[in-house]
Amino acid sequence: GDGWTVPSEAFARLMEEGMGTTYCAEELDPVRDSLGATGSISRADFEGWYIKWLFDDDDDSDGSENGDCGGDGNVTALAELQGGWGNMFKVDPDSWKCHACMVQNPSDKIKCMACGAVRE
């Protein structure tokens, strides 16, 4: 392997800052504890778990309950209401893309919501 590891106590930060997802302690603390039983999580273990977590339809596959943290069911229901997965990524035609950071912003904003650059 490449030797990449992350300390178990940094798992929440990895998920939130590195992966851009919300960390739900109720759902992910047991995962952190099992992946990082030795105090660190290897890249191979993390990648295997993460891919399964993203694409596995079995909500109980990691042995946890979704509880108050939500779950894939809400996303799937939303996608179905909006006419499928493709519509979830549809860009509002009135929005604008920031020239500095490429974030899509609502048409009523004159400054980028992410970096503060003024709309051109």
Side-chain angles (χ1 to χ4, degrees):
D2 62 9
W4 177 94
T5 62
V6 65
S8 298
E9 64 269 7
F11 186 61
R13 201 172 94 216
L14 169 67
M15 294 300 292
E16 290 181 336
E17 295 174 19
M19 306 305 293
T21 190
T22 302
Y23 187 85
C24 173
E26 184 179 337
E27 180 182 0
L28 296 177
D29 280 355
V31 173
R32 177 205 59 209
D33 294 344
S34 67
L35 288 176
T38 62
S40 64
I41 302 168
S42 74
R43 180 178 186 160
D45 289 345
F46 175 78
E47 287 175 347
W49 166 79
Y50 190 68
I51 296 298
K52 184 172 176 49
W53 184 65
L54 284 176
F55 297 108
D56 193 355
D57 289 336
D58 182 9
D59 289 335
D60 294 331
S61 63
D62 64 2
S64 68
E65 301 271 333
N66 284 331
D68 294 332
C69 298
D72 294 335
N74 295 335
V75 174
T76 303
L78 178 62
E80 288 171 0
L81 284 174
Q82 294 177 339
W85 284 103
N87 289 331
M88 289 189 69
F89 303 103
K90 194 179 266 185
V91 175
D92 179 357
D94 296 326
S95 65
W96 58 277
K97 186 183 285 189
C98 176
H99 64 89
C101 71
M102 304 302 166
V103 166
Q104 206 69 28
N105 291 280
S107 61
D108 64 334
K109 302 295 180 194
I110 60 170
K111 288 187 176 180
C112 177
M113 294 172 42
C115 72
V118 178
R119 181 178 183 176
E120 289 186 339

